[in-house]
Amino acid sequence: MLFSYLAHRRACDNKQRERAERIASLPEIYHEPLTPQDKQILSQPISSIIASVQTSSLHPSDVLTAYAKRALQAHAQTNCLTEIMIAPAERWARGAKRSGPLAGVPVSLKDMLAVKGYDSCTGYSALCGKPLNYDGAFVRLLRDAGAVPYVKTNTPTTMLSFEATNDVFGVTENPHKKGYSPGGSSGGESALLALGGSRIGVGTDVAGSVRAPSHYSGTYAIKSSMHRFLKTGSMSSMPGQEGIPATHNPMAETLEDLETFWRAVFQMKPWEYDASVLNIPWREVKLPVDRPLRWGVMWDDGVVAPTPACLRALKMVTEALEKDGHEIVTLNPPSPYEGLQIASQLLLADGGKTASKPLHSFETNDAGMIPAFRALRLPRFIMKIYAWYVRYIRRDPIYAGLVDNFYEKSVAEYYALIARREDYRARWFKVWRGTEVEGGLGDKGVDFILTVPNALPAVPHRGMRHGWKACGYTFLFNL
């Protein structure tokens, strides 16, 4: 145990020293203030950068210099970066394709994405000092499209939290207020994007891990459907976990950049890079023109009601939509609470063993996962007693219902949960078709569903110890 802890501390110290040395060894230009040209480049949408690079009016190296400078400034403010790949990115930029759909665009990556020659430790000290000998499918596509991967960004240990803290790289701060989380698990990405150190990045999402950081930090993201975006080769804290599908997803500073990037990725035919991606090209959405759009609103998931700030934002959106002639209806979906019960059991059906296996002795885990992993190690009857205490003494039947079945599942129990998931999905399908929407919509259904990204605004550091129950607003749509 002592030797394990010493190995942990040594790995953390070495990794932090390596990061600092890589930053310090960069040419002086990267440490200089932003020039007028840098600021002009940083202000452009990526569509303009791509067009300028393709017509040779802008060199990829100039674009990289501007974003690398700003990324280092953002890192100094928030501690958002993990792997500094700027030096090889500079060499890559000199010969990058100028005809590709992402020509010259610097792309930041969540730490788990595989880049040859660099670790993907995601905050586990046991995985430090083990550089990969390959590029993942997403990175290969980006390079072929002319993009320039240049930094990787911080995550929480286990990547199962809406924070971004670990012993290896330390605490990532919210870009708007120190002492608060930027979100997670793609929190390093959202902090970097919010401060302009990147315009486009790649994150992953299994319970809200690109949407919650975008909510906390004020950026944009889309959680892709399963089998839509490339994932092969990336590191995972739970390889083989398919009960709740995790997806790779674009994150961006603006909505326009998000669409530009998504289009460009599909122009590259990602199914030719990754066997997990379905052959579905980009499709234009044809909105109805003979009637207003119908928005079904989920105001409350029945677990944690939105805080006043988040509820106010949702009302601002619905009022703006109604003013523009859209139709707003209150959604009456299958119980979101039931969905959270199913999803939380499926995600940790192995009792948390896979995600906790790489942890060294005394390695700090995320504040939200410490009690979860502790509970999963307790005898079943102890958890039953605790659930009874929560239900009848603390008078919190909702939380009791979440912890009552929080234990490692057998294969038979896991199969039963998968069957519950499929039944739950089928009931949600009826909501889209209109048979379970309040207001007598009948078979008209809804075009879009609208809700808050989280019941809470950005939480203070370690706030996920109690704030995890508010994750249902995003977790629901992974389920």
Side-chain angles (χ1 to χ4, degrees):
M1 190 173 289
L2 174 62
F3 290 116
S4 176
Y5 175 71
L6 292 175
H8 166 62
R9 287 307 332 157
R10 185 167 56 251
C12 292
D13 292 344
N14 290 342
K15 195 64 188 174
Q16 291 183 20
R17 188 181 307 112
E18 176 188 77
R19 179 177 61 174
E21 289 173 351
R22 284 176 177 168
I23 293 174
S25 66
L26 289 170
E28 186 62 31
I29 189 173
Y30 292 107
H31 301 285
E32 294 174 353
L34 296 172
T35 65
Q37 181 189 25
D38 294 332
K39 293 177 182 178
Q40 197 273 333
I41 290 172
L42 293 172
S43 69
Q44 296 182 46
I46 63 170
S47 57
S48 296
I49 292 173
I50 294 165
S52 296
V53 170
Q54 289 175 340
T55 57
S56 298
S57 59
L58 188 61
H59 196 281
S61 294
D62 294 329
V63 181
L64 175 63
T65 298
Y67 276 97
K69 281 183 179 182
R70 189 69 190 111
L72 294 176
Q73 292 173 357
H75 175 66
Q77 181 177 333
T78 62
N79 187 44
C80 57
L81 303 183
T82 56
E83 300 292 335
I84 312 299
M85 308 182 295
I86 296 170
E90 171 62 36
R91 295 190 292 272
W92 172 260
R94 293 192 198 113
K97 291 183 179 180
R98 296 200 181 192
S99 58
L102 289 170
V105 176
V107 179
S108 52
L109 308 170
K110 187 175 182 177
D111 195 62
M112 65 186 292
L113 271 82
V115 179
K116 185 177 181 178
Y118 290 89
D119 292 344
S120 283
C121 74
T122 61
Y124 288 108
S125 62
L127 302 181
C128 292
K130 298 180 179 179
L132 301 175
N133 61 2
Y134 63 91
D135 284 333
F138 215 138
V139 173
R140 287 190 289 108
L141 180 146
L142 290 174
R143 293 194 196 279
D144 287 349
V148 184
Y150 65 119
V151 290
K152 294 173 71 174
T153 54
N154 205 18
T155 68
T157 314
T158 71
M159 294 191 288
L160 293 173
S161 174
F162 292 164
E163 299 193 51
T165 300
N166 57 73
D167 285 350
V168 176
F169 297 110
V171 178
T172 298
E173 297 285 352
N174 185 283
H176 306 291
K177 188 169 184 179
K178 192 171 184 178
Y180 285 76
S181 168
S185 59
S186 308
E189 274 299 317
S190 63
L192 181 66
L193 289 162
L195 293 175
S198 175
R199 282 195 78 99
I200 197 75
V202 180
T204 64
D205 192 309
V206 76
S209 287
V210 299
R211 290 161 291 161
S214 297
H215 168 59
Y216 283 7
S217 295
T219 55
Y220 291 83
I222 292 180
K223 187 204 81 68
S224 64
S225 297
M226 56 193 295
H227 306 305
R228 195 76 171 114
F229 260 76
L230 308 86
K231 66 175 184 177
T232 298
S234 293
M235 184 270 176
S236 170
S237 61
M238 294 188 293
Q241 190 286 119
E242 293 287 340
I244 304 294
T247 58
H248 285 50
N249 318 272
M251 303 175 69
E253 186 180 3
T254 69
L255 189 61
E256 178 186 353
D257 289 340
L258 199 64
E259 181 174 342
T260 300
F261 183 76
W262 189 292
R263 284 176 178 269
V265 168
F266 282 88
Q267 189 176 331
M268 292 297 296
K269 300 180 179 179
W271 46 87
E272 295 184 359
Y273 290 79
D274 189 336
S276 72
V277 180
L278 295 175
N279 186 342
I280 305 175
W282 174 273
R283 295 166 296 180
E284 295 292 343
V285 175
K286 291 181 173 59
L287 297 175
V289 294
D290 58 339
R291 62 171 177 80
L293 291 175
R294 297 186 190 90
W295 299 76
V297 183
M298 189 174 79
W299 296 102
D300 188 331
D301 72 348
V303 181
V304 181
T307 55
C310 296
L311 182 60
R312 182 175 68 248
L314 183 57
K315 286 181 176 178
M316 287 170 64
V317 173
T318 58
E319 288 168 2
L321 289 169
E322 283 188 305
K323 187 177 179 180
D324 277 354
H326 297 275
E327 184 179 353
I328 303 296
V329 297
T330 295
L331 205 64
N332 182 27
S335 167
Y337 174 52
E338 179 189 357
L340 183 57
Q341 288 176 308
I342 297 169
S344 58
Q345 291 183 75
L346 279 171
L347 187 61
L348 293 171
D350 70 337
K353 289 179 177 178
T354 304
S356 61
K357 185 177 180 180
L359 292 171
H360 274 120
S361 297
F362 304 112
E363 183 169 358
T364 305
N365 201 346
D366 176 79
M369 295 312 299
I370 291 172
F373 282 10
R374 187 178 295 146
L376 287 165
R377 289 194 295 267
L378 290 173
R380 181 80 180 93
F381 77 93
I382 297 292
M383 285 302 294
K384 280 289 185 184
I385 293 172
Y386 178 64
W388 181 90
Y389 163 77
V390 171
R391 188 182 305 275
Y392 296 107
I393 306 301
R394 285 176 47 183
R395 298 187 182 280
D396 188 349
I398 291 176
Y399 187 46
L402 291 173
V403 301
D404 194 28
N405 293 301
F406 204 56
Y407 63 93
E408 182 180 350
K409 302 298 187 288
S410 67
V411 173
E413 289 171 323
Y414 181 75
Y415 283 0
L417 279 171
I418 294 293
R420 284 185 64 190
R421 182 194 70 184
E422 293 307 293
D423 174 71
Y424 189 75
R425 288 176 173 177
R427 283 182 279 142
W428 260 93
F429 182 74
K430 293 179 181 178
V431 170
W432 286 104
R433 297 303 180 192
T435 57
E436 295 186 28
V437 178
E438 289 183 356
L441 283 179
D443 62 356
K444 292 197 295 184
V446 292
D447 298 300
F448 297 97
I449 291 176
L450 190 65
T451 190
V452 294
N454 195 271
L456 310 172
V459 297
H461 294 311
R462 301 188 63 79
M464 284 306 294
R465 176 175 174 81
H466 302 291
W468 69 269
K469 295 186 289 292
C471 73
Y473 293 93
T474 49
F475 206 0
L476 185 63
F477 299 101
N478 296 86
L479 177 70

